[in-house]
Amino acid sequence: MDCWILYDRADLESNGFFADRLREHGESLGLDCSIVTTDSIDPYDAPDVVVSRTRDAELTSMLEDVGATVFNRSSVSRICNDKAATYSLMRSIGVPFLPYSLPGSEPPAGPPWVVKDRMGHGGTEVFLARDASEMEQLMSGLDHPLVQTAAPVMGRDLRVYVMGGRVVASVLRSSDTDFRANFKLGGRAEVVECPDAAMDAVRRIVPELMPDFVGIDFVFGDGGDVFLNEVEDVVGTRMLYTLTDMDPARMYMEYIAQRV
């Protein structure tokens, strides 16, 4: 059975280790795997299986239309890579998130505010605005700006890794120097038990979104409340390799092999 491990070219350059692990484990499970990039394929020549590590929902939808089984499916990509679409889903299923606004609307309660690109990922287009002037300036520099009330507890968040509908790990991330706690931005990380409030949210999200492998990120309120921050479609695995003895590439390819 043919299988593409699909990346954007720039992402592949920085994630070659994981791509190689996916290919190796896929081959060991009987899949004929090739690592390919979005700029090098003909979507109408899609294989049986695509392990999508791209955020291009239109492309993965085309692959599905010609018969490929895609992990994560295009609907997951479309929702998770647009924070406004993510929050719309959360509202419909009763998962709390912090108030936000889009251009042309009154900003939510603040300052401070978090200004982010609604299509961004990995914390690289996320900024803190301490007054209205700074908020406007930051918005003007983003293609798809979104303004959100800052979390009561800044510099601390929780990532819950979900694969095949079950939680495989929960990691608490923190930073003393940045309101963002992303591990690759220098934050600390430790494996923790998933708090009950976050687990309740995960149980609501999974049946609606039906993801194969995602990271569900939460921020914290003063009283231990959790708020959905985002769902990472192309979730990174660096923390799992660093903090645990898991091999998420093997786990993911075993799950995919069982599914197909």
Side-chain angles (χ1 to χ4, degrees):
M1 186 173 289
D2 293 336
C3 173
W4 282 350
I5 298 165
L6 179 63
Y7 276 83
D8 296 325
R9 186 170 296 277
D11 285 344
L12 179 59
E13 291 175 359
S14 57
N15 292 281
F17 168 80
F18 191 61
D20 286 336
R21 296 288 288 177
L22 290 171
R23 180 184 55 77
E24 291 167 5
H25 287 303
E27 294 281 355
S28 73
L29 293 163
L31 298 173
D32 186 5
C33 295
S34 302
I35 300 171
V36 299
T37 56
T38 55
D39 61 356
S40 68
I41 62 168
D42 177 358
Y44 296 102
D45 190 30
D48 306 293
V49 179
V50 176
V51 183
S52 176
R53 302 293 290 173
T54 175
R55 300 170 183 84
D56 189 338
E58 296 305 318
L59 174 58
T60 51
S61 179
M62 291 176 62
L63 296 172
E64 290 166 341
D65 287 344
V66 297
T69 303
V70 180
F71 303 85
N72 289 308
R73 69 190 72 199
S74 62
S75 58
V76 174
S77 181
R78 184 171 290 107
I79 292 170
C80 295
N81 292 298
D82 180 343
K83 292 176 179 60
T86 300
Y87 296 146
S88 179
L89 174 62
M90 298 305 118
R91 183 182 295 110
S92 72
I93 60 178
V95 172
F97 55 90
L98 292 166
Y100 75 95
S101 68
L102 299 176
S105 302
E106 286 294 316
W113 294 283
V114 173
V115 180
K116 60 181 79 172
D117 193 305
R118 62 187 275 190
M119 305 294 188
H121 57 89
T124 56
E125 294 179 294
V126 182
F127 308 96
L128 188 66
R130 299 190 181 278
D131 57 47
S133 175
E134 190 174 17
M135 176 187 69
E136 294 291 342
Q137 181 180 6
L138 289 168
M139 288 179 65
S140 68
L142 297 175
D143 292 332
H144 312 96
L146 179 150
V147 178
Q148 192 165 36
T149 298
V153 177
M154 290 192 283
R156 186 166 172 261
D157 70 11
L158 178 77
R159 166 158 293 174
V160 181
Y161 290 91
V162 178
M163 184 184 295
R166 68 182 185 91
V167 172
V168 297
S170 300
V171 177
L172 181 67
R173 306 182 292 191
S174 58
S175 174
D176 296 328
T177 58
D178 197 321
F179 76 100
R180 302 166 298 178
N182 301 65
F183 189 58
K184 72 177 183 179
L185 298 180
R188 299 184 303 276
E190 60 179 317
V191 177
V192 298
E193 289 291 323
C194 186
D196 290 344
M199 185 63 78
D200 178 68
V202 170
R203 292 192 183 109
R204 293 171 184 260
I205 293 167
V206 167
E208 294 294 327
L209 191 60
M210 297 183 65
D212 298 300
F213 183 32
V214 293
I216 304 179
D217 293 352
F218 298 92
V219 292
F220 295 96
D222 289 322
D225 297 334
V226 299
F227 301 94
L228 187 285
N229 188 40
E230 63 180 328
V231 182
E232 284 281 1
D233 164 31
V234 184
V235 61
T237 57
R238 186 175 291 107
M239 290 192 299
L240 293 180
Y241 281 111
T242 302
L243 301 173
T244 78
D245 59 1
M246 295 178 184
D247 184 346
R250 176 185 58 79
M251 295 165 61
Y252 196 23
M253 294 310 294
E254 287 178 346
Y255 161 77
I256 288 170
Q258 290 170 358
R259 284 288 310 275
V260 300

